[in-house]
Amino acid sequence: MVTLYSASNQSFDRMETKLFNIGVAFAVMWVVANTPMSQVLRLAMPAYLAALALLIAVALVGDVRNGARRWLDLGVISLQPSELMKIALPLALAWYFDRYESTLRLRNFVIAAALFVLPVLLILRQPDLGTALLIASSGCFVLFLAGLPWKIIFALGAAGVAALPLAWSVMHDYQRTRVMILLDPSQDPLGAGYHTIQSTIAVGSGGWFGKGWLQGTQTHLDFLPERTTDFIFAVYSEEFGLLGNAMLLLMFLLVIARGLVITLNAPTVFTRLVAGSVTLTFATYAFVNMGMVSGILPVVGVPLPLISYGGTALVSAFFGFGLLMSISTNRKLIKS
């Protein structure tokens, strides 16, 4: 909240919206945490189909902002269905593997992979390459945790590398530019390289202890783009420095470690896959955002979990935490 207050030029409107989103997110987390996983299992596939329908609705009648069609205007709120798919897809895949646990064959993994191809293609069409890749990653996490053989994983990895030229040819021009600019942002300092150059300056200028809250020059002189959403980590780094980054990273690691412990102790295939996927997806989002802002990964438009401004992403993160809490709380009951 303090970082958002600074990043938004001390806007109370943004703070009120953020507080409202936090309240909604906590309510969602409480409801999910008190919902038995047997009920979640029954709702897994309907949730996936609902999220898929919303993605199709976005493709047909979604709002266009900054050249991307990613949102549905519901009057009271603006919904980003790709954020809902982050949770719905792992639940559906976990439901599928739980259903075929005793008769699992290679064809089951092929069918499971097909379940996340369609939403990924719809999100790519928006276009939103970063979210599409991360949702595909969450699906791959479930396949891995379900026991996909290592020889298949290596074969898919080799196929993925071989398909890079094809992927490059179908990428939008701006996406190819973002990849190229990663190697040398200075080749277009006022265009494609601007985000990376300004964010790395902000991160580096924070030093050991930062410039102090509300004292970030890159932030308050309007050099940083998208500083309340995708690049809020640059604001945090500039004002709280390396020490603040270490504390934030430690808190993220504690959340991830707790999620992995819950995964290891999960009593059923469904709960183990859900817990593992939620935890690894959270870790991937944090890593990709910090890597993007620090200039070691291409700019792909991924928010920093829990910190960035945005209601749907916050609610989906807390939904995942609610699942972890439900699995942990009801572990003995599920086992019995």
Side-chain angles (χ1 to χ4, degrees):
M1 289 293 291
V2 295
T3 304
L4 177 62
Y5 183 69
S6 177
S8 62
N9 290 329
Q10 304 171 42
S11 167
F12 283 103
D13 289 341
R14 288 292 180 100
M15 299 297 289
E16 288 175 358
T17 305
K18 181 75 173 181
L19 282 173
F20 174 78
N21 292 335
I22 289 175
V24 172
F26 267 108
V28 168
M29 184 177 71
W30 184 86
V31 170
V32 175
N34 288 281
T35 301
M37 289 305 292
S38 57
Q39 296 287 343
V40 177
L41 177 64
R42 277 192 281 272
L43 295 173
M45 188 51 72
Y48 168 80
L49 294 175
L52 190 61
L54 289 172
L55 283 176
I56 295 173
V58 167
L60 297 176
V61 297
D63 279 356
V64 178
R65 303 177 189 175
N66 299 322
R69 188 187 297 272
R70 302 175 184 172
W71 295 268
L72 276 179
D73 187 359
L74 302 180
V76 179
I77 61 171
S78 184
L79 186 67
Q80 190 173 352
S82 59
E83 294 292 334
L84 303 179
M85 187 54 79
K86 291 178 184 175
I87 295 296
L89 179 64
L91 287 175
L93 293 176
W95 168 86
Y96 179 78
F97 283 113
D98 184 82
R99 185 175 183 182
Y100 293 98
E101 176 188 4
S102 59
T103 59
L104 204 58
R105 299 288 185 275
L106 182 59
R107 62 185 172 86
N108 295 115
F109 289 99
V110 175
I111 295 172
L115 284 175
F116 67 79
V117 168
L118 182 55
V120 167
L121 289 177
L122 287 170
I123 295 168
L124 279 173
R125 189 177 178 275
Q126 293 179 353
D128 190 350
L129 177 62
T131 302
L133 290 175
L134 289 169
I135 287 181
S137 299
S138 69
C140 292
F141 290 146
V142 177
L143 297 186
F144 172 72
L145 294 170
L148 184 65
W150 279 104
K151 60 182 181 181
I152 301 297
I153 295 174
F154 285 124
L156 290 175
V161 173
L164 284 178
L166 176 62
W168 182 264
S169 66
V170 300
M171 289 171 68
H172 293 271
D173 289 340
Y174 79 91
Q175 291 169 339
R176 285 196 288 265
T177 301
R178 285 180 178 179
V179 176
M180 295 302 298
I181 213 72
L182 177 67
L183 303 175
D184 182 16
S186 63
Q187 62 183 278
D188 189 8
L190 298 179
Y194 183 80
H195 291 64
T196 301
I197 291 172
Q198 297 302 326
S199 65
T200 52
I201 289 174
V203 171
S205 64
W208 285 95
F209 304 107
K211 295 177 179 176
W213 186 45
L214 303 178
Q215 302 301 315
T217 52
Q218 291 295 110
T219 301
H220 295 287
L221 294 179
D222 288 337
F223 284 107
L224 272 176
E226 306 295 339
R227 57 182 179 271
T228 62
T229 53
D230 297 346
F231 286 85
I232 197 168
F233 180 63
V235 178
Y236 178 85
S237 298
E238 184 179 28
E239 298 191 348
F240 297 100
L242 183 61
L243 182 61
N245 287 345
M247 294 177 63
L248 180 63
L249 188 60
L250 177 62
M251 287 188 281
F252 276 144
L253 289 175
L254 288 174
V255 171
I256 294 166
R258 180 59 182 152
L260 291 176
V261 169
I262 293 173
T263 301
L264 291 174
N265 293 321
T268 67
V269 171
F270 179 73
T271 55
R272 184 170 66 250
L273 296 182
V274 169
S277 179
V278 167
T279 304
L280 293 177
T281 301
F282 177 84
T284 303
Y285 268 73
F287 171 75
V288 170
N289 179 274
M290 291 180 177
M292 176 185 79
V293 172
S294 303
I296 62 174
L297 293 175
V299 176
V300 290
V302 173
L304 183 62
L306 309 181
I307 309 296
S308 292
Y309 182 76
T312 315
L314 185 68
V315 171
S316 67
F318 274 67
F319 191 103
F321 293 158
L323 289 173
L324 291 173
M325 294 166 70
S326 177
I327 293 169
S328 177
T329 304
N330 300 299
R331 185 178 68 248
K332 294 181 180 178
L333 181 62
I334 295 172
K335 191 178 291 183
S336 64

